[in-house]
Amino acid sequence: PTECFLSQPEEKQEATAVKAKRRKKKKISDILQKSAPKPGVPADLQNLLSQHFAGNRSVIEIEELKLSDSCFLPANDLTHSFSSYLKEICPKWAKLRRSHKEKKSVVMLVLCSSALRSLELIKSMTAFKGDCRVLKLFAKHIKIKEQMNMLEKGVFHIGVGTPGRVKALVEQDGLCLSSTKYMILDWNWRDQKLRRMMDIPEIKKETIDLLEMNIIKLCREGSVKLGLF
């Protein structure tokens, strides 16, 4: 007697293979959960910019986006609170704060992934900021016209917000970066899904757009220093 083997139809085999692939596909949170926290360094930002522009920019154009190590402040080694980090990178803050008189501008710009994170950072910089005015630069519950009016009428020293709103303010001439000395990226912090700000596609794109729009040029000229907190 001949042996009889029952085989699965091809469609079922393909469906099983697809399901197996879906199960195997790792989420970014799974990868980050298994990886130990690692402080961001200037090379991380450089690589990010190179990868982002690799497909649609010439070698010369990408070269113009590169920043030397002198453009960067010391990176956070994960031992600092936000206040202690700012004290380290800006020891002459009191003097800078007193001499800043320009409207529509800030001395220090802090970028992070959300409005909630912006509020956390504002609360945690109490020991550093002293007698200075901090402006919230995010979209949640605050209209862009309100922020533009406040910048036009008053003098602010620190702006904390999201890259999308900051970019919009710069584009609409509500915020001028000529007086900005420090730009801090909230690089190492992770949200509930363990994503850093540069792991979120929309935040990553808006940050890179803002850097390309003004910040990289100002860094290369030596007027702005970048910090990765």
Side-chain angles (χ1 to χ4, degrees):
T2 56
E3 291 184 30
C4 179
F5 295 98
L6 293 172
S7 60
Q8 285 186 319
E10 283 185 20
E11 284 181 12
K12 281 188 179 179
Q13 286 178 346
E14 283 176 15
T16 307
V18 168
K19 280 181 183 176
K21 275 185 184 177
R22 279 180 187 161
R23 279 198 297 272
K24 285 178 186 175
K25 191 177 179 184
K26 289 182 179 179
K27 294 179 181 178
I28 193 159
S29 55
D30 297 330
I31 297 164
L32 290 170
Q33 200 163 26
K34 291 176 183 176
S35 64
K38 187 180 172 187
V41 292
D44 294 333
L45 180 58
Q46 298 279 34
N47 293 336
L48 194 77
L49 290 169
S50 298
Q51 289 166 15
H52 183 79
F53 292 114
N56 55 8
R57 299 293 167 90
S58 68
V59 177
I60 295 168
E61 285 173 323
I62 290 174
E63 196 66 33
E64 287 175 353
L65 296 171
K66 284 188 177 176
L67 297 166
S68 66
D69 288 345
S70 62
C71 296
F72 289 89
L73 297 157
N76 176 25
D77 59 3
L78 302 184
T79 63
H80 281 286
S81 67
F82 193 45
S83 275
S84 69
Y85 175 68
L86 295 179
K87 282 179 181 178
E88 181 182 294
I89 63 168
C90 187
K92 295 181 180 176
W93 174 248
K95 186 179 177 182
L96 276 172
R97 187 188 74 222
R98 285 194 298 270
S99 60
H100 178 64
K101 308 291 182 189
E102 291 82 5
K103 293 178 181 178
K104 292 176 68 174
S105 68
V106 291
V107 181
M108 182 181 289
L109 196 53
V110 182
L111 297 183
C112 48
S113 57
S114 69
L116 279 174
R117 179 58 179 164
S118 300
L119 294 172
E120 277 179 30
L121 288 176
I122 290 168
K123 285 177 186 175
S124 67
M125 68 165 69
T126 310
F128 165 79
K129 66 186 178 71
D131 186 25
C132 79
R133 298 183 74 193
V134 179
L135 186 60
K136 299 166 188 171
L137 299 176
F138 48 77
K140 196 168 186 177
H141 308 312
I142 308 174
K143 292 178 181 176
I144 194 166
K145 287 289 182 189
E146 288 176 33
Q147 290 162 335
M148 289 173 75
N149 287 338
M150 290 174 81
L151 281 160
E152 198 168 353
K153 291 174 183 176
V155 174
F156 290 89
H157 306 88
I158 302 175
V160 184
T162 51
R165 177 49 61 93
V166 171
K167 184 172 79 116
L169 283 163
V170 173
E171 285 173 334
Q172 295 184 39
D173 198 32
L175 177 65
C176 177
L177 299 176
S178 58
S179 298
T180 303
K181 305 291 180 194
Y182 301 95
M183 180 168 163
I184 314 299
L185 301 179
D186 188 27
W187 190 272
N188 299 303
W189 182 78
R190 295 179 177 188
D191 64 12
Q192 288 181 331
K193 295 181 181 177
L194 298 179
R195 300 172 304 175
R196 293 157 297 191
M197 66 182 290
M198 291 304 190
D199 295 323
I200 304 168
E202 185 183 348
I203 299 296
K204 174 184 165 184
K205 184 184 181 303
E206 287 170 340
T207 304
I208 291 173
D209 287 348
L210 180 61
L211 287 167
E212 188 193 13
M213 188 192 299
N214 281 82
I215 302 294
I216 288 174
K217 180 176 177 287
L218 295 170
C219 287
R220 287 170 73 101
E221 291 169 357
S223 61
V224 173
K225 296 277 187 185
L226 279 172
L228 306 180
F229 173 65

